[in-house]
Amino acid sequence: MERQDDGSGGGGKIRIGVCVMEKKVSCSPMEQILERLHAFGEFEIIIFGDKVILEDPVESWPLCDCLIAFYSAGYPLEKAERYAVLRRPFLVNELDPQYLLHDRSKVYEHLKLFGVPVPTYAVVRRLHPNQELNYFTEHDDFIEIHGKRFWKPFVEKPIDGDDHNIMIYYPSYAGGGMKELFRKVGNRSSEFYPDVRKVRRDGSYIYEEFMPTGGTDVKVYTVGPGYAHAEARKSPVVDGVVMRNSDGKEVRYPVLLTPTEKQIAWNVCQAFRQAVCGFDLLRCDLGEARSYVCDVNGWSFVKSSYKYYDDAACILRKMFLDEKAPHISSTTPANLPWKIREPTQPPDVVRGRERRTVGIPTQSEELRCVIAVIRHGDRTPKQKVKLKVTQEKLLKLMLKYNGGKPHTEAKLKSALQLQDLLDATRILVPRARSGRESDSDAEVEHAEKLRQVRAVLEEGGYFSGIYRKVQLKPSNWVHVPKSSGEGVQELPIEALMILKYGGVLTHAGRKQAEELGRYFRNNMYPSEGPGLLRLHSTYRHDLKIYSSDEGRVQMSAAAFAKGLLDLEGELTPILVSLVSKDSSMLDGLQDGTIEINEAKARLHDIIISSKVANGSERAGFPWMVDGAGVSTDAAQLLTDLAKLTKEITAQVKLLSDDENEEVATDSDSPNQPYDQAKALWRTAIDMDRIAAGLPCGSESFLLMFARWKKLEREFYNERKKRFDITQIPDIYDSCKYDLLHNSHLNLNGLHDLFKVTKLLADGVIPNEYGINPKQKLKIGSKIARRLLGKILIDLHNTKREITASSTCHEPKITSSTDRKERSYYDSVRNKGFERSSTDSHKETKYCLDPKYANVVEPERRVRTRLYFTSESHIHSLMNILRYCYLDESLNGEESLICKNALDGLFETKELDYMSYIVLRMFENTEVFKIILSHAFGSL
C-alpha cells in the first residue's frame, strides 16, 4: 500500500501520531511536551485513543508521518508493530526492542553487549513455584547459583520487568531481615520485615550484589542519544519514606552527569533503539567511584521541570524535521512560541542569615566541612570465657570447622557454627549440680564454665559474628593408627575454648546516638532556614560515614545517621546503605601495644607505691607529671574496691543459685533454637523482665554472676596478695551498667562501689594511653595514625575544592597522581600517617545541574566525614591534639589548644559513651570577594 504524502511540502504540517494508552497521554509530562510541539505550528498532533488502539483494525488507524508508540499495561504492542509495517512512519522509539524490556535478564544481557556496566548478577528460572533446582542453594548469609556466591546484602528482582516488587536481604551481622521495594503507595516506597530471611521460591528471579549509593538514587531521562537529564532522589532502600514538596510531588533535584555517565546514556539509547527512555543509575564508591545501570524503562519523561519540557520538545522537533522535512531549518528559535514559564518557587534558603552557624560570630564565614570522630553509645559489658575441653564432641566440632587440620584453630562465628556448638554443649552440661564430695574444684569450675557457655549461646540471644565469637585452639595431641592401617595420624585430645561475647549496644545507647545525630543536625550546620536536610536532599551535602568492625560501633553510626538525616524505621537498612566499615583505620591498638603495656606497668607502680605526683613540680601544668589525675588515696581505694566487689558478687550468686534451681526443675523442656536477629536488634526495653526482677536485656543471673565472679577473681589475687589495676576499667563498666540497667535489683553497696571505682578509673583509664604527655603523644600517633592521616586528607581536599573553582559546571574527577597531590600525600606518609583503605586515588565530585536546579547556590557544598570508633581512638586523637607541639620536629611551636582549654580537658575525667571530637572548616567569603573585586579592578 502506497504511503500518503508526508505533508512536508506545499505548506502542509507533519502529522505526529500518538499511539499510546490514554492514561499515558493525559499525564502532565506528555501533555506539556505535546502542547509545545503543537505551539511550533509545524505539526498536527493526532491522538489515537484507547478505542482505536484496542478495538479497531490497524488498517483503519489514522495516518501519520511520525509515530510515538510505547508499551504500558494492556497495550497491544503487536498491533502497533503491524501498523508500523503497514504505514512505515518514522518511529521515535523502535517497537521490537520494547519486548526486551519485559525481561530483566534480557535487559542485562543486552546492556552488557553494548558495554554498559551492570551489577554482578545471576539468574534463577523456575518452571513452577517451589521447583527444586540443583544449581541453587541457600544458606544463612549467602546464596549460591551455578557455583557463584552472593553474600548478603543482595537484591532479588523478578525477571518479569512489569513486577516491581524487589527485595533486599540483609546479613545477620547487620541484624538480618528483608526490605521490600515497591511502587510508591502514599508516602511509602518500601517496608522492612525483620523476620524474613529466606528468598522467594515462587517464580524466576535475578539476584545481584547490593550497591551502596549513600542513600541516593539517580534517574536518567534521555531524549535522543545526545541528551540526558538526570535527577537525584532519596533512595527507597534507606527508610522507605517518600520526600514530597508542598504540592505533594516527590522531591527530586537535577544533577550533572560525568562524561562516563553521559556515554552510558548514549549506549542505553543505542542498545534498545529508544530515543526517549529512562533508566536507574547507581552511583557507588567501592574503592573508586563507579556508576551502574540497574533498570531500564521504556518511554519516560521527567515529571515536573518546565526547562526540561522545553528541551524535550525542541529535540523532538529537530528529530521530526530532520526526518520528514530536511529543507526546514531545525535550529531552535531564539524565542520559543509558547508562553509557559517556570512558576516562581521559593529558593532553597533564606538570603542574608541562612549561613549563620552556632559558634560563628560573623556572616562572612561559610561552613564547608564537618569532621567528627565519635565514640559508640552505651553498651553491655564485654565478656570472655576460657576453658580447656577434652570432650570428643567438641574436638570433632573443631576438626569440622578447621578443615580437619589437627594443629589449626577453628573460629566459629556463623549461626550454623554456633548452633552446632550449642547442640554439643547442651549434651555435655550436667543437668544439675551433682553435689558429690568427690567432685574436685577443677571439675566444678569446668562444669560452671560449660553452663556459662550454654547460657551465653541460649539466652544471650545476640547470635552474630560481631557479638559472639568462639575460638577452639588445639593444645595437646596423640598419635593413632590410620583407619587404613598404614602409618599413624595425629589427633588433638585437648583444646582451649575461648568465647567472647557482650559489648552490645543497648537500647539507651541507640537513643543516645539518635539524639546526638539530631543535635548535630541542628547545631553543627546552618541553623537558619532548612539547613542540613535541604543541603543533603539537594545533592550539596557530601556525606560519608565510617565505622570500625565492632557491632556496637556500627549500630551507633546507623542510629546517629537516623537522627542526623531525620530518617525513620529500623537501623538495618540504614546501616547497610550509609555506613562503611574500615577496620584498618578505626579498629584495634595498631602498633601501640608495647607502649601501652609499659604505661600500665608504670601506672601500677605509681598506684601501689602511693607515689602519686601532686603537680607542684609543674605549677599551672598539672597534666605534665607522670600519672596525672591518679588519686592520692589510690592504694587504699584498691582495698575498698576489692571488698565491695566481693560483696556484690556474693549477692548476685544468691540470685544465680535461685535461678539455677528453677532451671533444673524445667530441664526437660524442649530446647529452642535461638533467633539471632530478633535479639540482636532488640529495639525496646523488656519491661516484663524488669517487672519480674530479672536482669535487663537477655542476661541471666548465671551470666551476671559469672561476670562479677571473673572481675573479683582477676582484680585481686588473694594467694599472691596482688592487685591487677588493668581490671579497674572493666569493673567500672560493669558497675555503671548495673546502676543504669539493673538498679531494680537493689544490690547493696553498688553505689559505694561506683564512687570508689570511678575515682580509680578517672586516673587509670587516661594514663593507660600514656603515663605522661610525651608517651601519650607517642601512643596516640601509633593508634590513630591512619585516622589522623585521613582527617588531614579530608581537610586538604576541602580546601582544594574551595580554591579550585567557585562554580560547578561539570562533575570534576581530581586525580591524586598529579605532582602537587602526590607531594601532599607523601608529606603525610613521611610524618607516619598512613592512608586508610577508604582513600581512593580519584575523588568524584557530583553536583547539582545549575541549569535546572531551583536553588540559590547550586555550587555550594558541605563535606561531612563521620568516624565512629572506640574509646582508644578517642583518647589517642585527643592526646595528639593536646600534645602534638611536644614533637621535636615542630621546634617548640605553640600548642594547638590554648591553656584554658587544656585546663578544661584535664578536668574532664572521662570520655564517656558518644563523646566526640569535631573539626569544622569555614570559608571566609569576604576575603574571597575582596580578591575578586581587586582582580576585576585591575583588568
Side-chain angles (χ1 to χ4, degrees), residues 17 36 139-140 152 253-254 474 529 565 672 734 785 810 838 896:
R36 284 164 168 74
H139 303 269
D140 287 335
K152 294 179 180 178
Y253 285 92
L565 301 178
Q672 299 294 327
S734 200
R785 68 182 186 278
E810 289 285 343
T838 58
L896 288 176

Side-chain angles (χ1 to χ4, degrees), residues 146-375:
H146 294 295
K148 181 174 182 58
R149 288 188 177 182
F150 288 82
W151 290 90
K152 294 179 180 178
F154 57 71
V155 183
E156 176 189 69
K157 297 179 179 178
I159 287 182
D160 181 358
D162 298 322
D163 187 343
H164 299 282
N165 293 311
I166 296 171
M167 313 296 191
I168 300 173
Y169 296 89
Y170 295 99
S172 57
Y173 78 75
M178 176 273 289
K179 169 153 281 195
E180 180 182 9
L181 314 184
F182 45 78
R183 286 283 179 90
K184 290 185 285 291
V185 179
N187 287 331
R188 301 294 308 178
S189 59
S190 68
E191 290 292 344
F192 180 68
Y193 299 93
D195 298 331
V196 178
R197 295 157 213 169
K198 297 294 185 180
V199 302
R200 290 176 286 182
R201 296 171 181 264
D202 58 346
S204 299
Y205 295 95
I206 285 181
Y207 293 92
E208 63 185 55
E209 61 178 327
F210 177 82
M211 312 297 288
T213 62
T216 303
D217 279 353
V218 176
K219 300 283 185 179
V220 181
Y221 303 87
T222 68
V223 186
Y227 177 92
H229 176 89
E231 292 188 341
R233 66 165 187 172
K234 178 183 173 184
S235 173
V237 307
V238 181
D239 67 352
V241 178
V242 180
M243 292 178 61
R244 297 190 183 277
N245 58 23
S246 58
D247 297 326
K249 296 178 180 178
E250 183 180 25
V251 175
R252 297 185 179 188
Y253 285 92
V255 294
L256 290 167
L257 296 175
T258 66
T260 300
E261 291 169 343
K262 291 177 180 177
Q263 184 62 50
I264 287 174
W266 176 286
N267 291 344
V268 170
C269 267
Q270 299 293 74
F272 297 96
R273 304 198 301 279
Q274 306 290 296
V276 179
C277 72
F279 62 89
D280 296 340
L281 193 69
L282 300 178
R283 286 174 163 176
C284 61
D285 189 355
L286 298 173
E288 62 178 310
R290 289 188 177 180
S291 299
Y292 300 84
V293 175
C294 68
D295 215 348
V296 179
N297 314 117
W299 185 281
S300 298
F301 279 131
V302 176
K303 289 183 172 57
S304 57
S305 172
Y306 288 89
K307 292 185 179 71
Y308 167 80
Y309 298 150
D310 293 350
D311 290 347
C314 291
I315 294 170
L316 288 172
R317 171 182 177 268
K318 177 175 173 56
M319 286 184 190
F320 297 147
L321 291 179
D322 288 348
E323 182 67 26
K324 292 299 178 180
H327 58 283
I328 299 177
S329 173
S330 61
T331 303
T332 302
N335 297 314
L336 296 175
W338 53 87
K339 294 184 179 181
I340 299 176
R341 289 292 179 265
E342 183 108 26
T344 303
Q345 296 181 9
D348 67 324
V349 290
V350 180
R351 290 184 182 272
R353 296 183 62 196
E354 81 278 5
R355 295 176 182 171
R356 295 192 64 188
T357 307
V358 171
I360 304 305
T362 69
Q363 299 178 19
S364 63
E365 293 182 319
E366 185 171 281
L367 181 66
R368 287 296 188 179
C369 181
V370 176
I371 297 173
V373 182
I374 307 170
R375 188 186 176 192

Side-chain angles (χ1 to χ4, degrees), residues 102-141:
H102 302 307
D103 187 321
R104 286 190 172 93
S105 65
K106 293 180 180 178
V107 168
Y108 274 18
E109 290 170 8
H110 216 59
L111 288 171
K112 289 173 66 177
L113 285 176
F114 281 79
V116 176
V118 297
T120 302
Y121 73 97
V123 178
V124 173
R125 296 186 185 276
R126 292 185 178 87
L127 299 177
H128 54 80
N130 300 313
Q131 179 186 3
E132 292 296 326
L133 304 171
N134 57 12
Y135 62 82
F136 175 84
T137 57
E138 183 175 10
H139 303 269
D140 287 335
D141 275 334

Side-chain angles (χ1 to χ4, degrees), residues 357-358 367 370-374 512-527 531-533 543 560-561 563-565 864-868 914-920:
T357 307
V358 171
L367 181 66
V370 176
I371 297 173
V373 182
I374 307 170
Q512 288 175 334
E514 284 188 43
E515 286 298 327
L516 185 60
R518 280 190 280 272
Y519 174 81
F520 264 59
R521 186 213 312 161
N522 295 323
N523 295 278
M524 295 298 174
Y525 297 87
S527 55
L532 172 67
L533 295 181
L543 170 67
F560 181 96
L564 179 72
L565 301 178
T864 297
R865 296 293 182 267
L866 305 174
Y867 302 97
F868 287 83
M914 300 310 301
S915 296
Y916 57 90
I917 301 169
V918 175
L919 304 173
R920 292 189 289 179

Side-chain angles (χ1 to χ4, degrees), residues 776-795:
K776 290 180 191 291
L777 178 60
K778 183 177 182 180
I779 291 174
S781 63
K782 289 191 173 186
I783 293 177
R785 68 182 186 278
R786 292 185 178 90
L787 173 59
L788 186 58
K790 180 64 169 58
I791 291 173
L792 292 173
I793 291 170
D794 292 336
L795 294 171

Side-chain angles (χ1 to χ4, degrees), residues 424-436 439 447-448 450-451 454 458 657 659-671 702:
T425 307
R426 281 171 170 165
I427 295 172
L428 296 173
V429 172
R431 293 181 60 178
R433 291 181 173 87
S434 68
R436 294 177 306 184
D439 288 349
E448 289 301 320
L450 277 178
R451 287 192 181 90
R454 184 186 67 178
E458 274 185 338
D657 290 342
E659 181 183 62
N660 282 332
E661 290 180 9
E662 294 178 10
V663 171
T665 60
D666 196 33
S667 60
D668 294 329
S669 61
N671 291 322
L702 171 62

